[in-house]
Coordinates of all heavy atoms in Angstrom, one line a residue:
G221 N -29.2 -6.8 3.6 CA -29.5 -5.4 4.2 C -30.9 -4.9 4.1 O -31.2 -3.8 3.8
R222 N -31.7 -5.9 4.4 CA -33.2 -5.5 4.3 C -33.6 -4.4 5.2 O -33.2 -4.2 6.3 CB -34.1 -6.8 4.6 CG -34.0 -7.8 3.5 CD -35.2 -8.7 3.6 NE -35.2 -9.4 4.7 CZ -34.6 -10.5 5.2 NH1 -33.9 -11.3 4.2 NH2 -34.8 -11.1 6.3
R223 N -34.6 -3.8 4.8 CA -35.2 -2.7 5.6 C -36.1 -3.3 6.8 O -36.4 -4.4 6.8 CB -36.3 -1.9 4.8 CG -35.6 -1.2 3.6 CD -36.7 -0.4 2.8 NE -36.1 0.4 1.8 CZ -36.7 1.3 1.0 NH1 -38.1 1.4 1.2 NH2 -36.2 1.9 0.0
F224 N -36.3 -2.4 7.9 CA -37.3 -2.9 8.8 C -38.7 -2.8 8.3 O -38.9 -1.9 7.5 CB -37.2 -1.9 10.0 CG -35.9 -2.0 10.8 CD1 -34.9 -1.1 10.6 CD2 -35.8 -2.7 11.9 CE1 -33.7 -1.1 11.2 CE2 -34.6 -2.9 12.6 CZ -33.5 -2.0 12.3
P225 N -39.7 -3.6 8.7 CA -41.0 -3.4 8.4 C -41.5 -2.0 8.9 O -42.1 -1.3 8.2 CB -41.7 -4.5 9.2 CG -40.8 -5.5 9.4 CD -39.4 -4.9 9.5
A226 N -41.0 -1.6 10.1 CA -41.1 -0.2 10.6 C -39.9 0.1 11.5 O -39.6 -0.8 12.3 CB -42.3 -0.1 11.4
P227 N -39.1 1.1 11.2 CA -37.9 1.3 12.0 C -38.2 1.4 13.5 O -39.4 1.9 13.9 CB -37.4 2.6 11.3 CG -38.5 3.4 10.8 CD -39.5 2.2 10.3
P228 N -37.3 1.2 14.3 CA -37.5 1.4 15.8 C -37.7 2.8 16.1 O -37.3 3.7 15.4 CB -36.1 1.0 16.5 CG -35.5 0.1 15.4 CD -35.9 0.6 14.0
A229 N -38.6 3.0 17.1 CA -39.0 4.4 17.5 C -37.8 5.1 17.9 O -36.9 4.8 18.6 CB -40.0 4.4 18.8
G230 N -37.8 6.4 17.3 CA -36.6 7.3 17.5 C -35.4 7.2 16.6 O -34.4 7.8 16.7
Y231 N -35.6 6.3 15.5 CA -34.5 5.9 14.6 C -35.0 6.2 13.2 O -36.1 5.9 12.9 CB -34.0 4.6 14.8 CG -33.2 4.3 16.0 CD1 -33.9 4.0 17.3 CD2 -31.9 4.3 16.0 CE1 -33.1 3.8 18.4 CE2 -31.1 4.0 17.2 CZ -31.8 3.7 18.3 OH -31.0 3.5 19.5
A232 N -34.0 6.5 12.3 CA -34.1 6.3 10.9 C -33.5 5.0 10.5 O -32.5 4.5 10.9 CB -33.5 7.5 10.2
D233 N -34.1 4.5 9.4 CA -33.7 3.2 8.9 C -32.5 3.4 7.9 O -32.7 4.0 6.8 CB -34.8 2.5 8.2 CG -34.6 1.1 7.8 OD1 -33.3 0.7 7.7 OD2 -35.5 0.3 7.5
Y234 N -31.3 2.9 8.1 CA -30.2 3.0 7.3 C -30.6 2.4 5.9 O -30.1 3.1 4.8 CB -29.0 2.1 7.9 CG -27.7 2.1 7.1 CD1 -27.0 3.3 6.7 CD2 -27.3 0.8 6.6 CE1 -25.9 3.1 6.0 CE2 -26.1 0.8 5.9 CZ -25.5 1.9 5.6 OH -24.2 1.9 4.8
A235 N -31.2 1.3 5.8 CA -31.5 0.7 4.5 C -32.4 1.6 3.6 O -32.5 1.5 2.5 CB -32.2 -0.6 4.7
V236 N -33.1 2.5 4.2 CA -34.0 3.5 3.6 C -33.2 4.8 3.1 O -33.3 5.3 2.0 CB -35.3 3.9 4.4 CG1 -36.0 5.0 3.8 CG2 -36.1 2.7 4.6
E237 N -32.3 5.2 4.1 CA -31.6 6.4 3.9 C -30.5 6.4 3.0 O -30.1 7.3 2.2 CB -31.1 6.9 5.3 CG -32.2 7.1 6.3 CD -33.3 8.2 6.0 OE1 -32.9 9.2 5.2 OE2 -34.5 8.2 6.2
V238 N -29.7 5.2 2.9 CA -28.5 5.2 2.2 C -28.5 5.1 0.7 O -27.7 5.6 0.1 CB -27.5 4.2 2.9 CG1 -27.8 2.9 2.4 CG2 -26.1 4.5 2.6
P239 N -29.5 4.4 0.2 CA -29.5 4.1 -1.3 C -29.5 5.3 -2.2 O -28.8 5.4 -3.2 CB -30.7 3.2 -1.6 CG -31.1 2.6 -0.2 CD -30.7 3.6 0.8
G240 N -30.2 6.3 -1.8 CA -30.2 7.5 -2.6 C -29.1 8.4 -2.5 O -28.9 9.6 -3.1
Q241 N -28.1 8.2 -1.6 CA -26.9 9.1 -1.3 C -25.9 8.9 -2.6 O -26.0 7.8 -3.4 CB -26.2 8.7 -0.1 CG -27.0 8.8 1.2 CD -27.4 10.2 1.3 OE1 -26.7 11.1 1.1 NE2 -28.6 10.3 1.8
G242 N -25.1 9.9 -2.8 CA -24.2 9.9 -4.0 C -23.2 8.8 -3.8 O -22.7 8.4 -2.9
D243 N -22.8 8.4 -5.0 CA -21.7 7.4 -5.2 C -20.4 7.8 -5.0 O -19.4 7.1 -5.1 CB -21.9 6.7 -6.4 CG -23.3 6.0 -6.6 OD1 -23.7 5.4 -5.6 OD2 -23.8 5.8 -7.8
R244 N -20.1 9.1 -5.1 CA -18.8 9.8 -4.9 C -18.9 10.6 -3.6 O -20.0 11.3 -3.3 CB -18.3 10.6 -6.1 CG -18.2 9.7 -7.3 CD -17.7 10.6 -8.5 NE -17.6 9.8 -9.6 CZ -16.4 9.2 -9.9 NH1 -15.4 9.2 -9.2 NH2 -16.3 8.3 -11.1
F245 N -17.8 10.7 -2.8 CA -17.6 11.4 -1.7 C -16.6 12.5 -1.6 O -15.5 12.2 -2.1 CB -17.5 10.6 -0.4 CG -17.4 11.4 0.9 CD1 -18.4 12.0 1.4 CD2 -16.2 11.6 1.5 CE1 -18.4 12.8 2.6 CE2 -16.0 12.2 2.6 CZ -17.2 12.9 3.2
A246 N -17.0 13.7 -1.3 CA -15.9 14.8 -1.2 C -16.1 15.5 0.2 O -17.3 16.0 0.4 CB -15.9 15.7 -2.2
A247 N -15.1 15.4 1.1 CA -15.3 16.0 2.4 C -15.4 17.5 2.3 O -14.7 18.1 1.5 CB -14.1 15.6 3.3
Y248 N -16.3 18.0 3.1 CA -16.5 19.4 3.3 C -15.2 20.1 3.9 O -14.8 21.2 3.6 CB -17.7 19.9 4.0 CG -19.0 19.5 3.5 CD1 -20.2 19.4 4.3 CD2 -19.2 19.3 2.2 CE1 -21.4 19.2 3.8 CE2 -20.4 19.0 1.5 CZ -21.6 18.9 2.4 OH -22.7 18.6 2.0
A249 N -14.6 19.4 4.7 CA -13.4 19.9 5.5 C -12.3 18.8 5.5 O -12.6 17.6 5.6 CB -13.8 20.3 7.0
P250 N -11.0 19.2 5.3 CA -10.0 18.2 5.4 C -9.9 17.4 6.7 O -10.3 17.9 7.7 CB -8.6 18.9 5.1 CG -9.0 20.2 5.4 CD -10.6 20.6 5.2
V251 N -9.7 16.1 6.6 CA -9.6 15.3 7.8 C -8.1 15.3 8.3 O -7.2 14.9 7.5 CB -10.0 13.8 7.4 CG1 -9.8 12.9 8.7 CG2 -11.4 13.8 7.1

Side-chain angles (χ1 to χ4, degrees):
R222 289 199 302 269
R223 300 179 178 187
F224 292 95
Y231 286 84
D233 186 344
Y234 176 65
V236 172
E237 301 296 329
V238 80
Q241 302 296 323
D243 294 327
R244 295 181 180 275
F245 175 75
Y248 293 160
V251 176

